[in-house]
Amino acid sequence: MSASNHRLIVISNRLPVRLRAAPRGWRAEKSSGGLATAMNPILRRGGGEWIGWPGESAKIGDPARQQIIDQWKSADGLVSVEIPPETADHFYEGYSNQTLWPLFHHFPSQLTFDPKGWAAYVAANKLFRDAAVSQYREGDLLWVHDYQLMLLPKLLRESLPDAAVGFFLHIPFPSSEVFRVLPEREELLEGVLGADLVAFQTYTHLQHFRSSLRRVLGFESRLNEVEIGGRTVKLDALPIGIAPQAFTAFLGKTETQRHIESLRQRYQGRKLLLAVDRMDYTKGIPERLRAYRRLLERAPDLRAKVVLLQVAVPSREGISSYATLRRQVNELVGEINGQFATPDWTPVVYIRRGISRAELVALYAVADVAWVTPLRDGMNLVAKEYVACTKDRDGVLILSEFAGAAEEMGEALIVNPYDENRAGAAIQTALALPEAERHRRMAALEEGVVRNNVFAWSEQFLAMLESAAANRGDAPSDRPAALDVARLLAAYQSASRHLLFLDYDGSLVGFHNRPEDASPPPELLAVLKSLAACPNNSVMLLSGRKRTDLDRWFGDVRGLWMGAEHGALLRRADSPDWEPLRPGYSRDWVDRVRPVLQHFVDRTRGSFIEEKEYSLVWHYRMSESKFGDWLAQELVAMLEDMLAETELRAIRGRKIVEVRPGWLHKGSVARRMVELCGPADFQLALGDDRTDEDLFAALDASAWTVHVGAGRSRARFAVPGPAEVLPILERLSDLSRAS
Ligand code: GDG
C-alpha cells in the first residue's frame, strides 16, 4: 500500500477468488488472470478491501454460498458485489468481453453488439458503485480496475465528490479510429474522467486515449493531465510489474524441484520452447503454431531437437469465438503432431488447463526459450515471470512488439507475431545465441523486472493518486462568473497603473466571413484612442492578425501597443516599427505543412488558407458547420502526429486551425509587455478563443481576465459577446478622462 495511512479499496470486476459450484457444496478457486496475480500481493502486504464479483450469480441466495461470501468478507476483506444472473451475462460476457475486449485489442471483426449489453453494463457499474459507497470511509483511496468498470469513476465522483478515485486500464487503449466505432464512446470517456488519476500500461495507450478525448469529446489535454468541469484529471503511463519473489520463492520448494527434475529428464537433449496464455484470440496461439510448423518445415535439422510446450488456460468458454479458437488450436496441434511426430518425439505438447504455480515456475525455470507473442496485449505478465524465474539467467525471451511489455523489455528478441516466417526464424536466432549474449540480455531484463516490480508500480500509482486528489480542485473553474461591471470599474478607478490586453476579432468586433472585412467601427477607434492616450494606461491590442491589418486599422492610434500574430511581432506605443519576439526565426516548415492544409481546402468548399509570417491558418467559417468542425478535429489529429517531433503546434481556434511554433502564444508576449511597462495594479485581459487562454494563464491571479462569449474558459469572468465590450471600454475611458 502507499506510504501514507490511507486505506485502499480495490474495485475490479472479479475478486481474486471465485466461487464454483462443486458436486457437494462450493469451492473457492483462485483467479488465473493477470490482474489477480498483480493485486493480490499488494493487498496482502498493505491491507485494505477488495470489491468484486464472486461469480455463479445463478445461485444467489444459496445459504452455503452466502456463508463463504460472509467469511471472505470478515476474514479476508473481500466484498462481493452480487450481480443478478441476467445482468451478469450481458455485462460480462456481453458488453465487456464481446464489445470492449475485442475492440480495445483492435479486433473489430470479433465484435458483437449485444442489444442488452450496454444497459447491463450501466446497471452493473451502478452495483459496484453501491458496494463501494457502502464500504467507503473518509480518506480511503478507491482504485478502480479495468475495462469492465469504465463508468464507475464518474458514478463514484457523483456519490462521493471528495473521494480519491484512481483508474487503471490493464488492457490496451485502442487507436481513436477504432475507439470511435463504439456507440457509447462519449459515456465511456466521461465515465473514466470521473477519476483523479487515469493510468495506462504504456505511453502509446495514453496517447490513443488523448487522441480519443480530442476526437470524440473535443477535449484538449496535456501529456499528463486534462481539465474537466473545474477538476484536473492526471494522466499517466505506469507499466505494471510482477512480484518477483512470489515466483522465485517457488523455485526453492520441493514440489517445484520435483517438477524441474522430471521436466529435465523428459526433455533431455531437446530445447524446450514455452508458451503460456489464457486461451484468447488476442494471445496469438494459432499464429504461433503456424510459425512453428513453418519452422519445422523449413529447418528439418530442428526436428526432434525442439519441443513447443503450450499451456492454454481455458477462458470465457461461453463465448462462441472462444470455442472457435479452441477448435482451431486443437486442429493445428493435431496437424503438426500428425505431420512431424516420431515414436519418441512429440513436437507440440499441449496442456489445455490451468497448472499449479509450482508447475508453472518449473516450466519457466527449464524452458530454453519463452515464446510470448500476443497479437495485442496490455502488458503481458508471462514475459516478466519467465525472466524472474530463468535459472542462472540462461534463457531467451521472444516477445511480440504488440505486447505492452515490449516497450520496456528491449533486450528480448522482438518480433511481429503476424509475420510467421520471421517469428519462426527468431526461434533459430534464439537457439543460436551465444551463452554470454543470453546472459547479458537476461541480466538486463531481470534488472528491469526486479526494479519495476508490482509494489513499485502500486506505490507510484497510489502516491500519484493521493497527490492528484489533493490538487484536484486547483484547476481553474472552466465556467467563468458573469462580469460584475461595477466592481471592475471600481477596481480600475482605485488603481494607479492600468495594463489592458485586448483581443480583436470576436472580442472587440464580431466575426466576418472574410477576415479582411472586419475593420473597426469609428466608435471603437475613438475609445481606443482615448484609453491609449491616458498616461496611466498601457493598452495592447493583441491579435492573431497580420501586422499589415493592424497597421492599416490602428497605425495612427497614438500610444497604442500592438501584438500581431499572437505577439510574434510587437509594436511599441512609441514606435512605428515592428520587432520580432524571436529574431532570426526560420519559417521553412511552411512549405511542408501547406500541402496538408491545401488538402483540407480541397475537401471543404468555402474554406481557405491564410498565410502569415509565423503561421498558417485554415479558415472554414464559411463552410458547412458540422462538417467543418469534424474536419478540423481530423486535421488537428493528423497534424499532431505529423508535428510531434517539431516545435510546431496545431491549434484550433474559432472556425480555424492554426499551425505555429509552440513558443508563440499570447502568454509570452503578455509577460514581455509586463516587463517593458513595469508593474500595474490593475490588469485587464479580454479575449474570446483558445489563443486568449494562454494570455489568461500568464497573468496574475488577481488580473481581470474576461472571456467574451459563452462556454468554457480559464478566465475569471465572462461577458456575453463583443456588443457588451464596447460600453465597458467607454466607461473605463470616461473614468480615465475624469481622473
Ligand atoms: C490482463 C491484460 C496485463 C496463466 N496460466 C496459468 C497461470 N497464468 C497466469 C500467468 C500470469 C497471468 O495468468 C496472465 O497474465 P497476462 O498478463 O499474460 O494476461 P491477462 O490475463 O490477459 O491480463 C494483460 C494484465 O492484465 C496485468 O495488467 O498484463 O495485458 O490482458 O500471471 O502466470 N497461472 C497459473 N497456472 C496457469 O496455468 N498458476
Side-chain angles (χ1 to χ4, degrees):
M1 197 171 144
S2 73
S4 78
N5 295 321
H6 293 289
R7 191 174 68 131
L8 172 61
I9 301 186
V10 171
I11 313 166
S12 67
N13 174 48
R14 286 265 184 213
L15 287 169
V17 282
R18 64 190 289 184
L19 284 168
R20 287 276 192 205
R24 260 174 297 133
W26 291 88
R27 64 193 163 80
E29 201 176 77
K30 276 193 180 172
S31 299
S32 69
L35 196 154
T37 317
M39 289 310 293
N40 249 336
I42 290 163
L43 275 186
R44 213 173 300 129
R45 194 188 257 197
E49 286 189 355
W50 191 322
I51 297 177
W53 175 44
E56 296 281 4
S57 290
K59 302 270 176 54
I60 292 178
D62 178 308
R65 180 179 179 279
Q66 190 57 44
Q67 205 182 350
I68 301 186
I69 285 180
D70 293 341
Q71 196 205 333
W72 281 352
K73 184 163 180 197
S74 55
D76 305 317
L78 301 178
V79 179
S80 295
V81 181
E82 293 288 25
I83 309 178
E86 166 75 2
T87 309
D89 286 350
H90 295 289
F91 154 64
Y92 183 59
E93 296 211 328
Y95 197 77
S96 297
N97 287 340
Q98 297 193 65
T99 301
L100 294 180
W101 177 270
L103 209 68
F104 278 40
H105 286 87
H106 287 187
F107 281 89
S109 57
Q110 303 278 2
L111 184 83
T112 43
F113 285 112
D114 170 354
K116 294 189 182 159
W118 174 248
Y121 188 83
V122 175
N125 271 257
K126 288 185 175 164
L127 291 172
F128 281 89
R129 180 222 25 221
D130 296 344
V133 168
S134 74
Q135 295 306 309
Y136 180 78
R137 297 202 299 252
E138 203 183 317
D140 286 350
L141 303 176
L142 297 165
W143 187 350
V144 180
H145 289 262
D146 231 3
Y147 62 100
Q148 302 91 348
L149 300 177
M150 291 179 75
L151 302 179
L152 186 54
K154 182 170 180 216
L155 293 169
L156 289 170
R157 179 68 51 221
E158 286 161 0
S159 303
L160 305 167
D162 298 326
V165 180
F167 179 82
F168 185 82
L169 186 69
H170 288 259
I171 66 172
F173 196 90
S175 128
S176 57
E177 280 300 319
V178 175
F179 180 74
R180 66 182 186 181
V181 167
L182 275 175
E184 300 82 12
R185 56 206 181 172
E186 286 91 357
E187 288 90 332
L188 291 168
L189 290 177
E190 282 165 2
V192 165
L193 289 178
D196 295 304
L197 168 64
V198 178
F200 303 87
Q201 302 271 25
T202 70
Y203 273 104
T204 311
H205 306 155
L206 167 57
Q207 290 301 69
H208 284 327
F209 178 72
R210 293 183 58 216
S211 127
S212 284
L213 287 183
R214 187 187 330 99
R215 286 191 168 181
V216 174
L217 296 181
F219 282 11
E220 296 299 335
S221 57
R222 281 183 289 280
L223 183 59
N224 63 348
E225 61 187 24
V226 56
E227 274 156 28
I228 171 171
R231 281 189 308 122
T232 301
V233 180
K234 288 281 174 196
L235 308 174
D236 212 339
L238 286 174
I240 196 170
I242 61 163
Q245 276 163 10
F247 288 85
T248 50
F250 268 81
L251 279 171
K253 296 199 174 179
T254 333
E255 191 194 351
T256 316
Q257 285 303 327
R258 252 202 346 263
H259 285 302
I260 292 182
E261 244 348 276
S262 99
L263 287 167
R264 285 239 163 90
Q265 275 178 14
R266 183 149 350 118
Y267 298 113
Q268 200 179 20
R270 300 207 160 107
K271 295 290 179 190
L272 184 62
L273 317 176
L274 175 67
V276 179
D277 306 282
R278 263 190 320 101
M279 179 73 97
D280 194 293
Y281 51 82
T282 62
K283 301 287 181 182
I285 302 173
E287 287 73 9
R288 180 183 299 121
L289 289 168
R290 284 198 294 265
Y292 185 57
R293 176 166 62 190
R294 189 83 55 94
L295 175 69
L296 293 179
E297 278 163 359
R298 260 201 351 231
D301 56 307
L302 279 184
R303 294 181 200 164
K305 298 217 179 76
V306 292
V307 171
L308 169 59
L309 197 152
Q310 170 76 62
V311 180
V313 192
S315 174
R316 303 178 191 168
E317 299 219 289
I319 300 176
S320 71
S321 54
Y322 286 72
T324 311
L325 171 72
R326 201 174 57 217
R327 267 200 308 278
Q328 202 185 358
V329 172
N330 280 347
E331 274 171 27
L332 275 166
V333 170
E335 282 172 22
I336 297 171
N337 283 342
Q339 189 178 350
F340 297 104
T342 61
D344 58 0
W345 173 57
T346 309
V348 186
V349 174
Y350 176 38
I351 303 181
R352 212 191 69 216
R353 59 181 161 79
I355 56 177
S356 71
R357 170 90 41 114
E359 282 175 283
L360 182 66
V361 168
L363 281 171
Y364 286 149
V366 299
D368 296 283
V369 176
W371 195 349
V372 185
T373 45
L375 304 179
R376 195 161 282 274
D377 214 334
M379 175 52 57
N380 195 299
L381 298 180
V382 169
K384 297 189 170 183
E385 293 164 7
Y386 173 66
V387 167
C389 297
T390 48
K391 266 255 177 201
D392 306 322
R393 292 176 176 158
D394 199 6
V396 183
L397 174 63
I398 294 184
L399 184 57
S400 158
E401 65 183 84
F402 302 118
E407 292 193 23
E408 46 172 334
M409 300 182 88
E411 293 82 7
L413 297 182
I414 306 286
V415 297
N416 172 356
Y418 291 94
D419 183 344
E420 288 166 14
N421 280 327
R422 291 219 184 95
I427 294 291
Q428 286 174 296
T429 310
L431 295 177
L433 273 190
E435 190 182 352
E437 179 66 7
R438 295 199 298 268
H439 284 230
R440 187 191 66 76
R441 286 173 182 258
M442 200 43 83
L445 287 169
E446 190 193 358
E447 208 251 324
V449 166
V450 170
R451 183 164 23 91
N452 304 325
N453 60 48
V454 74
F455 302 106
W457 168 78
S458 66
E459 264 159 31
Q460 231 179 320
F461 184 95
L462 293 171
M464 287 187 60
L465 173 56
E466 276 183 51
S467 109
N471 301 319
R472 174 194 313 135
D474 288 359
S477 154
D478 61 1
R479 297 278 169 195
L483 177 69
D484 181 338
V485 178
R487 276 188 54 216
L488 174 86
L489 296 176
Y492 182 86
Q493 200 165 19
S494 65
S496 52
R497 285 278 309 141
H498 310 127
L499 194 50
L500 276 57
F501 295 98
L502 308 174
D503 168 50
Y504 184 61
D505 296 272
S507 300
L508 299 185
V509 293
F511 280 100
H512 291 75
N513 279 343
R514 299 202 71 84
E516 58 272 25
D517 295 341
S519 57
E523 53 280 17
L524 176 62
L525 279 172
V527 78
L528 287 178
K529 279 184 182 154
S530 148
L531 283 170
C534 173
N536 294 336
N537 289 353
S538 300
V539 184
M540 174 178 252
L541 194 68
L542 183 47
S543 158
R545 282 188 175 262
K546 300 191 255 196
R547 58 171 142 176
T548 45
D549 284 341
L550 299 186
D551 270 339
R552 184 168 74 240
W553 290 333
F554 305 101
D556 57 358
V557 180
R558 295 193 43 188
L560 183 67
W561 291 71
M562 289 194 281
E565 302 202 15
H566 312 293
L569 293 159
L570 178 73
R571 198 184 121 162
R572 300 189 191 211
D574 49 3
S575 159
D577 300 322
W578 291 89
E579 53 191 88
L581 193 65
R582 287 236 179 148
Y585 174 71
S586 148
R587 63 192 297 278
D588 52 6
W589 56 268
V590 167
D591 290 338
R592 279 183 290 121
V593 174
R594 191 189 298 105
V596 180
L597 300 194
Q598 187 58 46
H599 177 62
F600 279 74
V601 170
D602 297 343
R603 286 160 76 187
T604 323
R605 209 140 43 96
S607 77
F608 62 93
I609 299 173
E610 182 188 11
E611 203 150 321
K612 304 196 214 172
E613 286 172 69
Y614 287 81
S615 62
L616 280 183
V617 191
W618 178 59
H619 288 260
Y620 62 96
R621 178 163 300 282
M622 286 188 296
S623 50
E624 202 270 307
S625 165
K626 277 254 160 53
F627 182 61
D629 286 342
W630 180 73
L631 276 182
Q633 220 144 284
E634 293 297 295
L635 174 59
V636 171
M638 182 193 272
L639 287 170
E640 263 186 16
D641 289 340
M642 201 180 132
L643 306 175
E645 303 292 310
T646 72
E647 62 165 12
L648 298 171
R649 295 290 167 268
I651 294 143
R652 276 190 78 176
R654 295 259 216 119
K655 303 289 176 191
I656 60 153
V657 172
E658 179 156 19
V659 183
R660 59 178 142 93
W663 49 263
L664 175 51
H665 56 78
K666 289 186 177 178
S668 324
V669 75
R671 278 192 286 266
R672 175 106 180 95
M673 168 91 174
V674 174
E675 271 165 36
L676 292 171
C677 300
D681 47 359
F682 174 91
Q683 294 184 352
L684 170 68
L686 275 164
D688 71 307
D689 72 11
R690 275 209 47 197
T691 65
D692 300 299
E693 297 296 305
D694 298 319
L695 169 63
F696 299 148
L699 298 179
D700 298 343
S702 59
W704 289 79
T705 46
V706 182
H707 175 69
V708 181
R712 298 191 170 106
S713 167
R714 68 185 308 146
R716 295 166 62 206
F717 309 107
V719 293
E724 284 72 28
V725 172
L726 187 65
I728 295 172
L729 295 182
E730 282 173 342
R731 294 180 66 184
L732 293 178
S733 128
D734 291 345
L735 289 176
S736 306
R737 270 203 297 266
S739 64

